[in-house]
Amino acid sequence: MMQRLLVDAHLDLAWNALQWNRDITQSVYTLRTQEAGQTGKGRAQNTVALPEMRQGGVGLCFATLMGRSTGIPVHHVDFHSPEQAYAIARGHLAYYRALEQRGQVRLITDLPTLERHVDSWATALAQPGADIPSLPIGMVISMESADAILEPSQVQDWWQTGVRLIGPAHFGPGRYAGGTGVEHGLTERGFALLDEMQRHGIILDVTHLTDKGFWQALERFDGHVIASHTNSRRLVPHQRQFDDRQIQAVIARNGVIGVALDCWMLEPGWVKGVSVNRNVSLAAVADHIDAICQIAGDAHHVGIGSDLDGGYGREQSPHDLDTIADLRRLDSLLADRGYAASDIEAVFSGNWLRKLKEAWQ
């Protein structure tokens, strides 16, 4: 069977490269060897690198820029000033550009480039023994937390640098919106940010918004909407997930919801640093995909937004996933549940590609 193209809507690749000091052009296994003996969450437990992405057919991803400045500093994530967060995000962008200069990746900012890239991968995947290791991985640049945007008027500059998606919030009391772990909604600056995003055609990623912020954002913003990495609150009752009404609202906007692989988002009652993943498998990922499909009544509004290596590693991922290449196992898991080949194709890549094409027409 021909390997499917897979689009992953959320990978913190530059954050891993710069803050975690991982050369993601090397294999996952080389990086684990380099980190052997290091202490700290996720060390020597990584799952993502460019070789394994190619191995798994992950030919396109939404690659993040991420720097917070919430007033609650966290080492390597949340900085004392917006200017520091701005510089970190610019550094992430510079890293992706350096990879592109080396032929490792292709930054995708418009429809013609997207179509050429997808065609090159489809052609390669259809040929047994194709030279997949030589193909650049496509990257659509996404900003996770808008704190790095100094003022809403700077959105135009970020657009010109290549940013095509923005999630206003992350964790905590962001400058533009409340995120996971707090309750407040959009700030005054946040409403202005949405106006600028809409003016420049930037896709809104509602992941991490509080319930209040979510509904405020949908009321204010008339552009294209996605949730890059959010699961079902029906299955995992926590503020971080979306309830059925929120999922329905994203579907009503013809959006797509990416299912994440963090065990905290897959298993009810998971406690970070305490729980173990022996009972969490890729079948749980299929459960969340199916839950969204049941709400939608079809398979046209769900995809994968793995968030693998998003501050954790194998210890907080499904136990039957060794590297990102194992995402392809979802193919048989969905087929066993009665999903047609066309539906699986939609989940793996078709829905994300449709959304980008709609936004970039």
Side-chain angles (χ1 to χ4, degrees):
M1 181 178 66
M2 183 181 74
Q3 186 174 339
R4 300 182 191 279
L5 173 68
L6 196 149
V7 178
D8 191 328
H10 190 83
L11 289 173
D12 298 313
L13 297 174
W15 185 56
N16 271 270
L18 301 187
Q19 273 85 339
W20 287 60
N21 197 20
R22 289 169 168 166
D23 177 3
I24 62 169
T25 66
Q26 301 186 65
S27 75
V28 162
Y29 303 105
T30 296
L31 296 176
R32 288 178 188 170
T33 300
Q34 291 173 351
E35 293 183 358
Q38 293 186 24
T39 59
K41 186 177 180 181
R43 287 300 183 184
Q45 296 283 332
N46 57 297
T47 64
V48 180
L50 301 186
E52 283 71 27
M53 290 178 70
R54 295 186 179 98
Q55 179 187 346
V58 186
L60 179 66
C61 70
F62 298 176
T64 66
L65 317 178
M66 210 277 283
R68 289 196 328 243
S69 182
T70 65
I72 308 173
V74 177
H75 192 52
H76 287 330
V77 179
D78 202 309
F79 299 89
H80 286 281
S81 71
E83 293 79 10
Q84 289 169 283
Y86 169 88
I88 290 294
R90 288 288 185 169
H92 289 176
L93 183 59
Y95 178 69
Y96 294 137
R97 286 178 172 165
L99 289 179
E100 185 174 46
Q101 289 175 9
R102 294 290 188 178
Q104 293 280 349
V105 310
R106 177 181 291 120
L107 301 188
I108 298 176
T109 59
D110 56 40
L111 186 55
T113 307
L114 175 67
E115 291 177 335
R116 287 194 300 270
H117 179 79
V118 171
D119 286 346
S120 68
W121 268 83
T123 299
L125 291 171
Q127 298 173 354
D131 190 16
I132 300 296
S134 70
L135 286 178
I137 291 171
M139 290 185 172
V140 180
I141 303 302
S142 174
M143 182 177 284
E144 184 175 32
S145 171
D147 288 355
I149 301 174
L150 297 178
E151 294 296 337
S153 60
Q154 199 185 56
V155 165
Q156 180 177 1
D157 178 61
W158 285 103
W159 166 265
Q160 291 172 342
T161 67
V163 173
R164 293 296 179 265
L165 305 100
I166 295 176
H170 191 224
F171 281 80
R175 298 175 59 234
Y176 291 93
T180 302
V182 298
E183 297 296 332
H184 67 261
L186 299 176
T187 65
E188 182 177 347
R189 184 185 283 113
F191 287 106
L193 174 78
L194 293 181
D195 293 343
E196 288 297 310
M197 288 173 57
Q198 184 164 320
R199 189 160 72 91
H200 293 285
I202 293 178
I203 298 170
L204 170 63
D205 184 354
V206 292
T207 304
H208 280 292
L209 285 171
T210 62
D211 289 1
K212 180 179 181 180
F214 174 92
W215 294 110
Q216 287 177 321
L218 288 193
E219 181 178 358
R220 180 77 169 213
F221 185 81
D222 291 330
H224 293 277
V225 174
I226 68 156
S228 63
H229 58 302
T230 295
N231 293 356
S232 167
R233 194 179 296 181
R234 183 195 300 182
L235 300 183
V236 177
H238 189 281
Q239 178 215 33
R240 173 65 180 83
Q241 324 306 335
F242 280 176
D243 64 26
D244 288 5
R245 285 185 62 238
Q246 290 172 303
I247 292 172
Q248 289 166 347
V250 174
I251 293 168
R253 297 285 288 266
N254 203 29
V256 181
I257 300 164
V259 170
L261 272 74
D262 190 333
C263 285
W264 176 56
M265 299 174 60
L266 295 171
E267 179 75 7
W270 178 277
V271 180
K272 294 182 181 180
V274 176
S275 301
V276 295
N277 66 353
R278 68 172 64 96
N279 295 321
V280 184
S281 71
L282 286 166
V285 181
D287 289 342
H288 283 267
I289 291 172
D290 189 57
I292 295 168
C293 289
Q294 296 305 321
I295 292 171
D298 56 44
H300 302 319
H301 298 279
V302 65
I304 296 168
S306 74
D307 198 19
L308 289 169
D309 288 1
Y312 62 95
R314 283 185 299 171
E315 81 289 347
Q316 201 169 303
S317 305
H319 69 79
D320 51 350
L321 180 137
D322 183 35
T323 79
I324 192 170
D326 293 322
L327 287 176
R328 59 191 175 188
R329 295 183 179 178
L330 288 167
D331 193 325
S332 59
L333 287 171
L334 292 173
D336 289 345
R337 293 170 185 237
Y339 281 79
S342 59
D343 292 332
I344 299 170
E345 189 81 22
V347 172
F348 270 44
S349 63
N351 294 333
W352 290 124
L353 295 176
R354 182 199 77 236
K355 191 73 247 178
L356 291 175
K357 290 175 182 178
E358 288 173 357
W360 293 353
Q361 287 288 348

